[in-house]
Amino acid sequence: MSALVSPDPTTGPATAAPVSDELVADALAGLSATPKTLPCKWLYDSEGTRLFEAITRLPEYYPTRTEMRILDHHGPDIARAIGPGAVVVEFGPGDGLKAVRLLSSLEDPAAYLPVDIAPEWLEAAAARVAEALPGLRVRPVVADFSRAFDLPGGNAGAPLGFFPGSTIGNFAPEEAVAFLRRARAALGPGARMLLGADLVKDTDVLRAAYDDAAGVTAAFDLNLLHRLNREAGADFDPAAFRHEARWNPGAERIEMHLVARTAQSVRIAGRTIRFAPGESIHTENSHKYRPAHLQALAEAAGWRAAEMWTDPDRLFSVWLLEG
Ligand code: AVI
């Protein structure tokens, strides 16, 4: 993935649909390539964000509720390992709910700094945390953490990065290492990081999580074609594509694909893109980890994996990294 995953850092919760030059450029480049691909950041317009939130509540989508349970169940251990006075810096805070769980279990957190490129998302997360934890210092930071970034100074306390949800898995491995390295630099001396990472497991469980019976993930994926029609002037017929979740055993990742049901042509920005029957657009990767692999990624970025907490079925993991 070329930028952040959640929520869409480039457009935020769009209501109007102006033509986006960046979306057009990404679409032309990705759809002219072989195999066809699109950056997953474009999945998250306001409808995509709404659908993703619905995904997190699906019976098949275990990551969100499992990570919440880990944060609840191991809260006292996590709090002990982290100690008092943490300055919690959350990358891509989403709705802020996980931060509320974490901060409520920590001893005397000094501050909460949600970081995102889109101010609208920050306000929602900051408001939720401020309401749940009155008296806590909350300082939203508008920054693009897909590039080098700085955090504001003047935060007395122990810097703790927080990157839950296994959003790390939407990065290619080299992008994951680059992000972890940037985060370490931005957090500064004494940095630690609490990181959520989804684990390798039975492929049927994985496939179901990314291709649910109610079709919410399919709608989330297909929304990308609707978005291209709205914001890039394309003329996709979304009904002529179907969503597919594939397990790639070599890369140990779930791949989302939009598969053309028939041979067809699509117009976009004056160009014609042809699809053979069964040809797909690869729209997202979601890497799953073995503990040794996650440790190696962290070490490649200059971190040391100090602790790992998991659930009884070992579906998901929460890591404490030390800088
Ligand atoms: C945001 N991210 C961690 C989700 C995942 O599980 O990779 C995105 C997602 N795509 C389909 N379902 C959920």
Side-chain angles (χ1 to χ4, degrees):
M1 133 180 149
S2 57
L4 314 182
V5 173
S6 131
D8 181 355
T10 54
T11 60
T15 44
V19 169
S20 156
D21 293 342
E22 194 195 343
L23 174 59
V24 170
D26 278 0
L28 287 178
L31 298 176
S32 311
T34 310
K36 292 180 170 54
T37 177
L38 285 170
C40 67
K41 68 175 181 174
W42 297 111
L43 290 164
Y44 297 88
D45 62 354
S46 57
E47 178 64 0
T49 301
R50 188 189 71 74
L51 287 165
F52 175 64
E53 276 167 15
I55 287 172
T56 65
R57 294 188 292 272
L58 289 170
E60 296 95 331
Y61 193 76
Y62 60 86
T64 309
R65 65 171 174 275
T66 308
E67 187 179 43
M68 287 284 208
R69 279 185 200 144
I70 295 171
L71 291 175
D72 280 349
H73 184 77
H74 294 286
D77 298 337
I78 294 172
R80 238 185 324 274
I82 288 167
V87 174
V88 176
V89 178
E90 183 172 15
F91 301 104
D95 58 14
L97 269 180
K98 286 178 189 163
V100 170
R101 294 281 168 112
L102 173 66
L103 288 156
S104 310
S105 69
L106 292 182
E107 189 188 334
D108 273 337
Y112 172 61
L113 281 71
V115 183
D116 207 306
I117 197 171
E120 312 80 59
W121 302 113
L122 282 175
E123 272 160 36
R128 174 164 263 146
V129 170
E131 196 189 322
L133 294 131
L136 179 73
R137 187 157 184 241
V138 177
R139 283 183 91 182
V141 180
V142 180
D144 179 0
F145 60 80
S146 71
R147 311 207 168 98
F149 63 97
D150 290 318
L151 293 170
N155 301 298
L160 176 75
F162 185 39
F163 197 42
S166 203
T167 300
I168 190 96
N170 298 124
F171 292 110
E174 64 279 8
E175 291 169 332
V177 170
F179 163 74
L180 289 173
R181 196 176 287 131
R182 272 195 305 277
R184 190 166 153 267
L187 290 164
R192 288 175 302 167
M193 170 87 112
L194 202 61
L195 175 72
D198 198 7
L199 298 174
V200 172
K201 61 185 61 65
D202 183 87
T203 50
D204 289 343
V205 174
L206 284 168
R207 256 192 236 102
Y210 291 84
D211 193 6
D212 59 281
V216 182
T217 311
F220 170 68
D221 203 3
L222 285 160
N223 177 57
L224 189 50
L225 303 184
H226 292 284
R227 184 175 193 184
L228 285 165
N229 289 349
R230 280 193 307 266
E231 294 178 42
D235 65 353
F236 278 98
D237 173 9
F241 287 80
R242 65 181 172 78
H243 163 74
E244 198 175 293
R246 298 180 189 161
W247 173 245
N248 179 327
E252 297 199 311
R253 68 188 188 206
I254 283 281
E255 298 178 359
M256 294 209 311
H257 289 261
L258 290 168
V259 182
R261 294 179 190 273
T262 57
Q264 56 198 284
S265 298
V266 173
R267 295 281 294 167
I268 176 160
R271 294 252 299 273
T272 300
I273 309 288
R274 288 180 216 291
F275 288 86
E279 188 177 3
S280 80
I281 310 172
H282 182 174
T283 52
E284 188 186 55
N285 289 318
S286 190
H287 291 84
K288 308 302 165 189
Y289 300 97
R290 295 173 195 274
H293 182 198
L294 199 284
Q295 266 169 303
L297 278 186
E299 277 167 25
W303 294 94
R304 185 181 70 82
E307 302 267 2
M308 184 195 91
W309 294 277
T310 186
D311 52 289
D313 299 321
R314 293 183 77 85
L315 296 175
F316 201 91
S317 58
V318 173
W319 295 76
L320 181 63
L321 310 180
E322 291 179 349

